[in-house]
């Protein structure tokens, strides 16, 4: 059920190994709003590509091929995972011509750590014979070109992408029932004569209030990328819970129809156990923001 407007195919790979195997993304004003939704699908999908690349999922979750009697008696420690992978999270307008926000989600499986790093969408890169910023790269060659440009800008090896558009954000937040976060100070602003207020304090923002908050942060005169990244981290914590994992099939089916990604439903169906392992190790931990 993949949505991919690109005419190209990305050739990437992930290498997640055990200890025994380890050797060596209204316009500018609405700009940064929609990038936050992409993080959640990234979390759902970040370990779902392993089997496609002939990776033994049994190994990653520490399952053995012993008889049932032997397995029941086993009290050995889980296999410690090693390896890193990087996803490009990109949000654009509906036409795929303007990049509002881009970030990298880095996952270190061995340490069970995640890191969110903002990518400068205005930075220029020259790839595949074309020069321009991320918006120009996306308009020129779709997500294939955008991924290549982001790699050139950051020196990162991007494994897969997840892209949100202007129409995606509220739907994504609704899937999770809101985003718990802390607002440092009372926010008051107006758009076309209509006033909006967000009170100070710890609260769960609904889809509408999340939209208003990110709209405020995305204003050219109020652009606060560090706050955007903190909100991304809040959303990541919101997803990475055992409760949400218990309904992960429903969540995935909803998000895959909202967001554009090159991660397939086949990958998801064959690697849910690996996602469960990651949630077990990271539940309640906020991703590092850089």
């Amino acid at each position: 059920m993949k949505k991919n407007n690109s005419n190209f195919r990305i050739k990437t790979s992930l290498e997640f190994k055990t200890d025994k195997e380890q050797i060596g993304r209204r316009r500018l004003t609405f700009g940064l709003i929609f990038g936050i939704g992409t993080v959640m699908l990234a979390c759902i999908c970040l370990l779902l590509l392993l089997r496609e690349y002939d990776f033994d999922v049994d190994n990653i979750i520490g399952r053995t091929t012993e008889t049932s009697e032997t397995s029941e008696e086993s009290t050995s420690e889980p296999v410690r995972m090693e390896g890193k992978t990087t996803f490009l999270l990109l949000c654009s307008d509906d036409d795929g011509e303007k990049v509002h926000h881009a970030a990298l989600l880095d996952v270190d499986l061995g340490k069970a750590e995640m890191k969110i790093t903002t990518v400068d969408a205005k930075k220029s890169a020259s790839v595949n014979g074309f020069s321009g910023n991320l918006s120009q790269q996306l308009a020129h060659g779709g997500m294939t070109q955008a991924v290549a440009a982001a790699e050139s800008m950051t020196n990162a090896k991007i494994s897969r992408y997840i892209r949100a558009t202007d129409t995606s954000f509220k739907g994504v937040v609704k899937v999770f029932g809101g985003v718990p976060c802390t607002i440092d100070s009372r926010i008051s602003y107006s758009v076309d004569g209509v006033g909006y207020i967000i009170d100070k304090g710890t609260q769960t923002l609904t889809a509408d209030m999340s939209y208003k908050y990110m709209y405020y942060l995305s204003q050219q005169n109020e652009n606060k990328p560090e706050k955007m990244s903190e909100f991304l981290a809040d959303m990541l914590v919101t997803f990475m819970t055992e409760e949400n994992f218990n309904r992960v099939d429903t969540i995935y089916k909803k998000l895959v129809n909202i967001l554009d990604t090159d991660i397939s439903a086949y990958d998801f169906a064959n690697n849910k156990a690996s996602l469960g392992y990651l949630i077990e190790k990271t539940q309640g931990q906020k991703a590092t923001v850089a």
Side-chain angles (χ1 to χ4, degrees):
M1 299 175 68
K2 171 179 72 174
K3 295 184 180 180
N4 188 351
N5 296 326
S6 171
N7 294 322
F8 301 85
R9 180 182 180 185
I10 297 177
K11 297 181 180 179
T12 57
S13 63
L14 300 181
E15 295 182 359
F16 296 166
K17 302 180 179 180
T18 65
D19 282 340
K20 295 180 179 180
E21 301 172 21
Q22 181 76 12
I23 302 179
R25 161 145 11 123
R26 234 175 241 195
R27 292 282 173 183
L28 178 62
T29 56
F30 288 93
L32 301 178
I33 299 170
F34 306 97
I36 63 177
T38 62
V39 171
M40 295 181 289
L41 182 58
C43 297
I44 297 174
C45 303
L46 79 94
L47 294 178
L48 308 181
L49 305 172
L50 304 180
R51 185 161 294 177
E52 183 179 5
Y53 294 95
D54 299 322
F55 188 91
D56 189 347
V57 175
D58 287 346
N59 287 337
I60 201 168
I61 62 174
R63 187 164 55 201
T64 70
T65 56
E66 298 173 337
T67 63
S68 59
E69 180 180 355
T70 302
S71 298
E72 291 174 0
E73 298 175 353
S74 176
T75 58
S76 61
E77 290 294 322
V79 175
R80 187 174 186 273
M81 296 186 296
E82 297 288 351
K84 301 178 182 180
T85 191
T86 300
F87 285 78
L88 173 64
L89 312 178
L90 186 146
C91 119
S92 74
D93 61 0
D94 293 331
D95 297 327
E97 296 180 349
K98 172 68 176 178
V99 172
H100 300 317
H101 181 66
L104 298 180
L105 174 63
D106 295 304
V107 180
D108 186 324
L109 297 178
K111 297 180 180 180
E113 294 177 349
M114 290 174 284
K115 179 180 179 181
I116 298 171
T117 306
T118 300
V119 177
D120 185 357
K122 296 181 180 180
K123 187 176 180 179
S124 182
S126 181
V127 293
N128 300 325
F130 181 82
S131 296
N133 59 32
L134 269 183
S135 294
Q136 294 165 331
Q137 299 284 354
L138 178 65
H140 176 73
M143 284 305 299
T144 297
Q145 188 76 9
V147 168
E151 287 185 327
S152 177
M153 295 172 183
T154 62
N155 295 318
K157 177 61 179 176
I158 296 171
S159 298
R160 283 295 189 269
Y161 71 81
I162 302 96
R163 180 173 74 99
T165 65
D166 287 346
T167 58
S168 300
F169 174 69
K170 289 185 181 181
V172 171
V173 176
K174 286 179 181 178
V175 171
F176 294 93
V179 182
C181 70
T182 299
I183 306 299
D184 294 332
S185 59
R186 186 174 184 268
I187 295 172
S188 177
Y189 69 98
S190 63
V191 179
D192 297 331
V194 179
Y196 299 97
I197 296 175
I198 303 177
D199 291 326
K200 175 183 177 180
T202 300
Q203 56 198 289
T204 297
L205 298 184
T206 64
D208 285 339
M209 291 305 293
S210 295
Y211 178 91
K212 293 171 183 176
Y213 178 52
M214 301 312 294
Y215 177 92
Y216 166 76
L217 294 178
S218 71
Q219 300 307 291
Q220 188 171 15
N221 61 335
E222 294 286 355
N223 197 339
K224 301 175 181 178
E226 72 283 358
K227 291 294 184 181
M228 169 66 79
S229 295
E230 288 293 338
F231 198 69
L232 291 176
D234 287 332
M235 294 197 75
L236 189 54
V237 171
T238 300
F239 169 73
M240 300 292 283
T241 66
E242 183 179 352
E243 179 182 1
N244 281 334
F245 183 70
N246 290 334
R247 63 187 187 106
V248 69
D249 293 276
T250 299
I251 291 174
Y252 177 78
K253 289 176 182 178
K254 290 180 178 179
L255 293 182
V256 78
N257 282 297
I258 296 173
L259 302 170
D260 170 27
T261 179
D262 59 347
I263 300 171
S264 72
Y266 174 84
D267 299 324
F268 170 77
N270 285 280
N271 295 280
K272 287 191 295 184
S274 298
L275 176 60
Y277 181 94
L278 183 67
I279 289 178
E280 177 187 353
K281 296 299 182 182
T282 63
Q283 181 167 292
Q285 299 178 16
K286 291 188 69 170
T288 301
V289 177

